[in-house]
Amino acid sequence: MSEEVLLETPLAAEHVALGAKMVPFAGWNMPVQYAGGILAEHKHTREAVSLFDICHMGEFRVKGQGSAEALDRALARGVADQKTGVCRYNFLLNEAGGVIDDLIVYRIAEEEFFIVVNAARREIDFATLAKRLPDGCAITDDSDITAKLDLQGPFSSEVLVSLGVPEEALPAYYHFTHVTINGLNVLLSRTGYTGELGYELYFSADKAVAMWRTLLACEGVKPAGLGARDTLRLEMGYPLYGHEMNEETTPMEAGFGAMLKLEENSREFPGSEVLRKAAPRRILTGLVLEGRRAAREGCAVLLNGIAVGKVTSGTFAPSLERAVAMAYLSPEAVQSSDAVFEVDTGRVRIPAKIEALPFYKNGTARKKIKKT
């Protein structure tokens, strides 16, 4: 049996040199942790600043006359009213309202957009969008020529300022701008997946190693892998495609109904009719478990001994020193918010209670940056 051939980011050799443990992820060979371990990387991100290699993600560019209106019809959240310089979390849906992918749309100019997609969904996303866009709107896949690094943590703004980015130029939350770092043009957005103040940097892929080394040379910056990225996002209750979202799951079930504003407008997009007519069959819910034992994906959630849902993601939350999980539960079960549930791991049943997301409530993602 032939082994899967994994793709590698431009930084693969850098990770190995730093002692990273490499694992397969979405078809890529990626660092899951470095020598210090996941717990240390998690803590450092919450308290200082960490650097993540996210070069495996996909990036598309859409431009041309009518591109805003075309994307407005192709995606679940509005695009036509999105202002230049703003990033917006969005969804690419199938006709049944299921999530083909969750993505972020950047409005670069009046008729130009930059779209960031999940690595494992890159091909299907591109094909779906290309099919939905009319003549006159061009879409290109810039993934192979684009590097993406995430600088995350409460001191990430100080790092950028130390590299010559004026503090007043730093973008607001879910906004972006273009800056120059060491002579390189960088699209800098204040976004991330950790719940902390952070920035995502997009630039030419052939400069990835140089930028990685420049950022790691800054005071307080340490590398972090996929393991810490997962525990950080789980503490915040952020969904991960393939776990909390897939083509059988709707944004309404995943808790994003208010974001779509279906009752406030009549905008049509693939799946909109289904979403307006059908009540969610299940609801994504936060669970806090008794003790430190983590639940895993697929574990049944029981109420009075009867299965009422399944765990999608679970972990021991380092910032909270307790086990947490996200699970899809029946609407009736969610109404029993004060009840004691059980998570069946196959070996033991762990008592659990519903808790509103996010689990970790002290993140600095929306922290105000002092403008000088």
Side-chain angles (χ1 to χ4, degrees):
M1 182 181 293
S2 60
E3 294 185 1
E4 178 186 9
V5 178
L6 297 174
L7 299 170
E8 292 188 330
T9 77
L11 300 171
E14 298 293 303
H15 301 314
V16 172
L18 290 169
K21 177 182 178 182
M22 307 294 285
V23 299
F25 178 78
W28 292 75
N29 189 30
M30 297 292 292
V32 68
Q33 66 181 71
Y34 297 84
I38 293 173
L39 293 180
E41 293 168 22
H42 178 110
K43 186 173 186 289
H44 192 74
T45 308
R46 287 272 183 251
E47 297 178 354
V49 57
S50 296
L51 182 63
F52 298 81
D53 173 12
I54 315 294
C55 291
H56 61 300
M57 298 287 275
E59 293 90 14
F60 306 153
R61 198 170 294 272
V62 174
K63 59 172 65 175
Q65 186 174 2
S67 55
E69 291 75 16
L71 288 172
D72 208 53
R73 295 188 295 270
L75 300 174
R77 290 190 73 190
V79 176
D81 64 347
Q82 185 173 334
K83 294 181 179 180
T84 301
V86 170
C87 330
R88 183 172 286 179
Y89 185 54
N90 214 318
F91 306 93
L92 181 66
L93 304 183
N94 57 32
E95 294 294 341
V99 181
I100 296 172
D101 201 5
D102 61 327
L103 43 83
I104 297 183
V105 178
Y106 293 65
R107 189 163 197 166
I108 304 295
E110 199 62 25
E111 299 290 359
E112 181 177 355
F113 296 85
F114 184 66
I115 303 176
V116 182
V117 305
N118 284 300
R121 307 302 288 171
R122 173 180 161 187
E123 290 185 6
I124 188 171
D125 288 359
F126 187 84
T128 302
L129 284 170
K131 187 176 180 180
R132 292 181 184 177
L133 295 176
D135 293 341
C137 290
I139 180 171
T140 57
D141 186 343
D142 290 356
S143 308
D144 293 337
I145 60 172
T146 304
K148 180 179 187 293
L149 298 180
D150 287 11
L151 194 67
Q152 298 285 304
F155 296 111
S156 53
S157 59
E158 282 91 334
V159 171
L160 293 172
V161 170
S162 76
L163 291 172
V165 179
E167 187 177 64
E168 62 272 16
L170 294 174
Y173 188 58
Y174 263 77
H175 287 66
F176 69 91
T177 189
H178 290 86
V179 300
T180 300
I181 298 177
N182 283 0
L184 179 64
N185 181 49
V186 175
L187 188 158
L188 179 72
S189 66
R190 186 173 166 182
T191 46
Y193 202 49
T194 66
E196 300 300 336
L197 171 65
Y199 300 87
E200 299 185 318
L201 293 78
Y202 302 87
F203 52 92
S204 179
D206 61 354
K207 304 297 183 183
V209 171
M211 182 64 75
W212 174 263
R213 292 177 178 177
T214 293
L215 291 168
L216 279 186
C218 294
E219 183 179 357
V221 179
K222 294 182 179 181
L226 293 176
R229 191 166 181 255
D230 196 49
T231 56
L232 289 159
R233 71 95 188 171
L234 244 171
E235 287 188 345
M236 297 304 301
Y238 294 154
L240 176 63
Y241 195 89
H243 292 257
E244 286 70 45
M245 287 186 185
N246 54 44
E247 293 202 42
E248 306 301 318
T249 305
T250 72
M252 320 296 278
E253 294 171 333
F256 296 105
M259 189 178 283
L260 299 190
K261 300 180 180 179
L262 293 180
E263 296 179 356
E264 299 176 22
N265 62 69
S266 58
R267 194 173 58 84
E268 299 294 330
F269 54 86
S272 60
E273 184 177 356
V274 175
L275 295 182
R276 285 192 173 97
K277 290 182 177 180
R281 301 163 299 165
R282 52 187 183 162
I283 299 173
L284 187 62
T285 309
L287 293 174
V288 174
L289 282 61
E290 188 176 282
R292 300 168 67 92
R293 186 194 293 264
R296 298 302 178 195
E297 179 185 8
C299 289
V301 181
L302 312 176
L303 180 59
N304 298 325
I306 299 173
V308 292
K310 284 188 176 181
V311 170
T312 54
S313 297
T315 190
F316 173 75
S319 305
L320 307 171
E321 296 189 341
R322 56 183 179 172
V324 300
M326 287 194 287
Y328 275 108
L329 305 182
S330 68
E332 297 76 19
V334 174
Q335 292 175 7
S336 307
S337 57
D338 294 331
V340 177
F341 295 79
E342 290 180 308
V343 175
D344 188 352
T345 69
R347 288 186 170 186
V348 297
R349 292 184 177 182
I350 307 172
K353 294 201 73 172
I354 289 177
E355 182 168 312
L357 299 172
F359 299 112
Y360 182 71
K361 304 182 187 338
N362 297 321
T364 57
R366 295 177 182 268
K367 172 184 175 182
K368 290 186 178 181
I369 304 300
K370 181 182 178 182
K371 303 292 185 178
T372 55

